[in-house]
Amino acid sequence: MLFGKHVNKFYKKYFFYFFFGILTLIAVDYIQLLIPELIGNVVDGVNTGTITFTHLDPLIENVLWILLVGVGMFLGRFLWRVCIFGEAIRIQADLRLDMFKKTEVLTQRYYKANKTGAILSYFSNDLETVEEAFGFGIVQLIDGVFLLVLALIKMFMIQPILTSIALIPLVLLGLCAVLIDRYMEKMFEKRQKAFESLSDFAQENFTGIRVIKAFVKEKKEMRQFAKEAKKNKETNIGFVRASALLDVLFDFLIYAIFAIILIGGAFLVYNYVKTSGAQGISIGSLVEFIGYVDSLIWPVFALAGTINLIARSRTSLRRISSLLDEKVEIVDDKVVTPDEFKGEIEFRHFSFAYPDDENHPELKDINIKINSGETVGIVGKIGSGKSTLVNMLFRLYNVKEETLFIDGYDIMHLPVKLIRENIGYCPQDNFLFSDTVRNNIAFSNKNLSPEDVALAAEFSSVKENIEGFKDQYDTLIGEKGVSLSGGQKQRISISRAIVKDPKILVLDDSVSAVDVKTEETILKNIKKIRKGKTTLLIASRVSTVKSLDKILVLNEGKVEAFGTHEECLKNSSTYARMVELQTLEKEMEGK
């Protein structure tokens, strides 16, 4: 049986299934051992002459009892399988839900340190191994122990000396199993890590398949995949070899038991005949004894399988526990709930460094205030901290208290759910789900009317494109929007953000893939529809931010300028250079 703080609760939750299933399993083990006794009675009856062709009543009676035992075993096995295997599936479902809930509250830091393929392996191989431990593992353990004990009791009752001699290989078997257990656990952990690496490599290749094809690197990736697959194969072969060694050892010891029984039993039967039953055992008793020994084969293999399975499941549970034990960093603390969410943003001496690179801060001493209802453009060189700055508004990371405020309240004391519900976000990578266009736009609220979805599409100037699709808003766009152009993905992402009608809207470089005319349409809609609501727009083109209320210029994580277009042009060399280069570019295009 498998124990750990994340699974112990299931023994209590599903106690009835455990109790009734184990009770039924033990009952089946008990009645199963009646069969060798009934067969022994028949053999002794034939040998002594109590069963003859003219007197078949004892034979019929024993056969009927055997049939009755068979029916009982059938019903019992059905019941314990429903209870124990059903309970294992329920535990798997509960544990998977716990794991998924945990993945939803973990921070970006965790996903940066752990690859997707590795996390998915917890939900596949590891979770299946844990389920197997709760299902087949419990069956093997209970069935093996009780059937073994009951069979040995019956054997001792028939011939204690012969039973004691037969136990010698079993004791050796137990000692070998304990030694092999630790080795099997280490081998399984290597096996899981090899599968994790293979899964991670495959997932990354599937995601980047277009890049691989564009650079004609299929053969290179195939060779690398072959290396990963070979490593996985060799690790699995090593694990299977260890399992096979255990099986061979068990086979040898079982055959040794049978050899002892046959030699010793033949001698005892000879004494029985020679002494007219005064010493030794009868042929029927020997047949019954062999039947009990035959019943020992499954328990011995079951216990060996349990050792193997528990070793594997402990490794899997340890890996799953590493996920479930991960500290949740983003939590509500000293919560203050404002009466109204207006959208005023203020950074006071704000600095930030990512957890894995604390010696190199991305943002340094930011001091700005964005009034409610303002539309602010954010520009700067690549790596200047633009996306990092707006990401701070979502509480994706913990920040120093008294440095970031929304509506005058410290963001560290505002409810996380409240913050995120009132902010619309269009990310830089324009991530879209493998779903319909309608469901992607209405992601924040599945109850939105078709009219609301259409208005959001019109806002981002993508309505005509969508209505040109064969299935229009019901068009399946493929994983990550693979069937759409870059501009269409951007505009659908904007529609998804705007349909929330948020108090704060963040567009992270969201019009870079559209033409100038479409960009102008989106900016006009922002001014018209977003009037009185805060909008932050990260951009790489001066034309995008030139007419906005304010412009924030970042340079190496610091504020270089914050004000109108004219003020930034005067106070920021970075902004002035951007204007100069893009003006020159337009002039060159005009020639």
Side-chain angles (χ1 to χ4, degrees), residues 170-187:
L170 286 176
V171 174
L172 292 173
L173 197 60
L175 293 173
C176 293
V178 171
L179 295 175
I180 292 174
D181 174 45
R182 293 181 181 179
Y183 177 72
M184 293 293 293
E185 188 171 349
K186 290 179 181 178
M187 288 296 297

Side-chain angles (χ1 to χ4, degrees), residues 210 430 432 480-481 484-493:
R210 286 189 295 178
N430 305 303
L432 296 176
K480 296 185 179 181
L484 303 176
S485 70
Q488 288 170 339
K489 284 194 289 185
Q490 278 194 337
R491 285 176 285 160
I492 289 174
S493 295

Side-chain angles (χ1 to χ4, degrees), residues 190-191 193-195 197-198 225-237:
K190 288 182 180 179
R191 176 190 178 192
K193 286 182 178 179
F195 175 80
S197 177
L198 181 67
F225 182 81
K227 290 180 181 178
E228 293 289 338
K230 183 180 179 181
K231 180 181 176 183
N232 185 62
K233 181 191 75 172
E234 290 173 349
T235 307
N236 274 274
I237 288 174

Side-chain angles (χ1 to χ4, degrees), residues 33-317:
L33 292 176
L34 295 175
I35 294 178
E37 182 180 344
L38 294 169
I39 293 173
N41 292 338
V42 171
V43 172
D44 277 342
V46 173
N47 192 47
T48 58
T50 55
I51 297 176
T52 62
F53 286 108
T54 57
H55 188 235
L56 294 176
D57 290 346
L59 176 63
I60 294 171
E61 182 181 350
N62 281 283
V63 169
L64 289 175
W65 273 110
I66 291 173
L67 291 174
L68 188 61
V69 167
V71 172
M73 289 172 62
F74 171 80
L75 294 175
R77 284 175 176 170
F78 174 78
L79 290 173
W80 67 249
R81 286 179 181 178
V82 169
C83 290
I84 297 178
F85 290 157
E87 153 266 324
I89 293 171
R90 282 182 281 270
I91 289 174
Q92 184 198 43
D94 288 351
L95 193 56
R96 178 177 279 113
L97 182 60
D98 289 345
M99 292 165 65
F100 187 77
K101 286 180 178 177
K102 189 57 178 278
T103 59
E104 287 192 316
V105 298
L106 292 175
T107 60
Q108 300 299 105
R109 179 191 60 77
Y110 179 82
Y111 291 106
K112 190 176 181 180
N114 297 272
K115 294 184 178 180
T116 304
I119 298 171
L120 289 177
S121 69
Y122 298 159
F123 285 85
S124 54
N125 279 21
D126 289 312
L127 200 53
E128 287 174 6
T129 305
V130 171
E131 180 209 345
E132 193 177 354
F134 276 101
F136 203 63
I138 288 177
V139 171
Q140 287 186 137
L141 180 62
I142 301 299
D143 202 27
V145 169
F146 279 91
L147 193 58
L148 182 68
V149 170
L150 291 173
L152 287 174
I153 291 172
K154 295 271 190 179
M155 290 165 65
F156 269 108
M157 292 173 64
I158 296 174
Q159 178 48 247
I161 296 175
L162 190 58
T163 303
S164 299
I165 296 172
L167 278 176
I168 295 174
L170 286 176
V171 174
L172 292 173
L173 197 60
L175 293 173
C176 293
V178 171
L179 295 175
I180 292 174
D181 174 45
R182 293 181 181 179
Y183 177 72
M184 293 293 293
E185 188 171 349
K186 290 179 181 178
M187 288 296 297
F188 184 73
E189 188 167 5
K190 288 182 180 179
R191 176 190 178 192
Q192 292 298 83
K193 286 182 178 179
F195 175 80
E196 179 182 304
S197 177
L198 181 67
S199 175
D200 206 34
F201 182 86
Q203 186 271 334
E204 194 172 57
N205 267 255
F206 295 150
T207 303
I209 189 66
R210 286 189 295 178
V211 176
I212 293 170
K213 288 184 176 181
F215 283 85
V216 198
K217 292 296 181 181
E218 293 93 337
K219 290 185 178 180
K220 173 183 171 293
E221 294 301 311
M222 284 176 64
R223 286 194 296 270
Q224 185 60 35
F225 182 81
K227 290 180 181 178
E228 293 289 338
K230 183 180 179 181
K231 180 181 176 183
N232 185 62
K233 181 191 75 172
E234 290 173 349
T235 307
N236 274 274
I237 288 174
F239 178 79
V240 171
R241 280 175 179 164
S243 299
L245 178 63
L246 189 62
D247 290 341
V248 169
L249 181 63
F250 274 49
D251 281 342
F252 173 77
L253 293 172
I254 284 173
Y255 290 133
I257 293 171
F258 269 106
I260 292 170
I261 299 303
L262 290 174
I263 295 171
F267 177 76
L268 291 171
V269 169
Y270 174 78
N271 282 344
Y272 182 85
V273 174
K274 186 177 180 181
T275 60
S276 301
Q279 295 179 14
I281 57 175
S282 66
I283 295 177
S285 296
L286 178 60
V287 171
E288 181 182 347
F289 192 90
I290 292 173
Y292 294 136
V293 174
D294 189 51
S295 299
L296 286 178
I297 295 175
W298 157 246
V300 171
F301 275 107
L303 291 175
T306 302
I307 292 166
N308 190 332
L309 178 57
I310 294 300
R312 291 188 287 121
S313 60
R314 278 202 305 262
T315 301
S316 290
L317 182 59

